[in-house]
Amino acid sequence: MRTNQDTGLIRLIACLCMVIDHAGKMLFPQYPVMRLIGRLAFPLFAYGIAVGIVYTHHPIRYLTRVVLLALVSQPLYALGLAHENSAMYAVSFWEHPLRAAYTFYINSWQTPSILLSLSLGLCILICLRQKRFVLALGVYVLCERFSSSLDYGIGGIRLMLLFYFFLEHPLLCLGVTAGYMIAWASEGVGYVFFGMNFSMRIFALPAVIFACIPMKRHIRLPQWFTYGFYPAHLAVLALLCKL
């Protein structure tokens, strides 16, 4: 690959933007610019998945770690970002604590976190890497069918695929992914540029520059940070919201 190999820097920027986004939603809604900054996070995480599947020697272990992270983080996601629903509290914790915990957890999946989208995209990339094209197509069709239930929908899955296909060609990757991001954002409204309406997603466009242009900061992040930051920041956010 010839795009940005400084994945430590990419993850650091993505995590910072994610925290700003989530804090803007839950703690500082009076500052909408925080949500706009947060749009950078998903494309950077999507790029990280594409790069990760190229570098890993154990793709199934990689997928297992991401899936386990999704399973652990889901209830924290519901609590920390106000995705709770009445079904989560249908059983009394005081009277039936175990059944209540099970009900709470299962129903927290009514609004899945971004990690489900990343896991499915990673699954498709593993199938492509192992040349299991029929299986890859099957998972893609499944994602298309349930796009409305996924965070960022099928559009996020397509972005991961585009990054993966063009990792060897930085300028081509920049042009293709930037064009795709513009087209994707044009499906919504709310922000007008050059006489055209775009959704908030248009502010994610600078992320493709970080992804496609090679950088040499050589930032290394420990593995515990990579996998622990997401649930940890959700737990802190949930605590702050409750307080």
Side-chain angles (χ1 to χ4, degrees), residues 67-89:
V67 170
L68 286 176
L69 184 61
L71 294 173
V72 170
S73 302
Q74 182 57 38
L76 296 173
Y77 172 78
L79 289 172
L81 294 178
H83 291 300
E84 298 161 278
N85 55 75
S86 58
M88 293 169 62
Y89 300 97

Side-chain angles (χ1 to χ4, degrees), residues 74-119:
Q74 182 57 38
L76 296 173
Y77 172 78
L79 289 172
L81 294 178
H83 291 300
E84 298 161 278
N85 55 75
S86 58
M88 293 169 62
Y89 300 97
V91 179
S92 170
F93 278 89
W94 181 257
E95 296 177 1
H96 307 284
L98 292 179
R99 188 153 63 92
Y102 173 80
T103 301
F104 181 92
Y105 181 82
I106 292 299
N107 287 291
S108 71
W109 283 92
Q110 290 188 20
T111 307
S113 76
I114 187 179
L115 288 170
L116 179 59
S117 300
L118 294 178
S119 297

Side-chain angles (χ1 to χ4, degrees), residues 98-217:
L98 292 179
R99 188 153 63 92
Y102 173 80
T103 301
F104 181 92
Y105 181 82
I106 292 299
N107 287 291
S108 71
W109 283 92
Q110 290 188 20
T111 307
S113 76
I114 187 179
L115 288 170
L116 179 59
S117 300
L118 294 178
S119 297
L120 290 169
L122 178 55
C123 185
I124 295 173
L125 294 181
I126 290 175
C127 293
L128 292 175
R129 170 176 163 162
Q130 298 179 348
K131 299 183 179 180
R132 299 181 179 180
F133 301 119
V134 174
L135 184 57
L137 179 61
V139 178
Y140 180 85
V141 171
L142 185 68
C143 294
E144 182 89 50
R145 170 66 178 79
F146 295 100
S147 177
S148 60
S149 300
L150 297 175
D151 199 5
Y152 289 92
I154 192 63
I157 304 294
R158 291 171 181 163
L159 182 60
M160 282 182 258
L161 292 172
L162 288 176
F163 277 133
Y164 179 75
F165 290 145
F166 294 101
L167 288 175
E168 296 181 14
H169 310 283
L171 293 180
L172 186 58
C173 185
L174 178 62
V176 170
T177 53
Y180 175 74
M181 292 293 295
I182 293 172
W184 192 15
S186 68
E187 296 174 0
V189 296
Y191 300 89
V192 178
F193 295 98
F194 305 107
M196 296 180 61
N197 266 298
F198 296 97
S199 69
M200 187 187 293
R201 202 172 291 120
I202 192 65
F203 293 94
L205 190 58
V208 302
I209 299 176
F210 287 110
C212 299
I213 303 301
M215 301 179 187
K216 296 181 179 181
R217 295 293 179 180

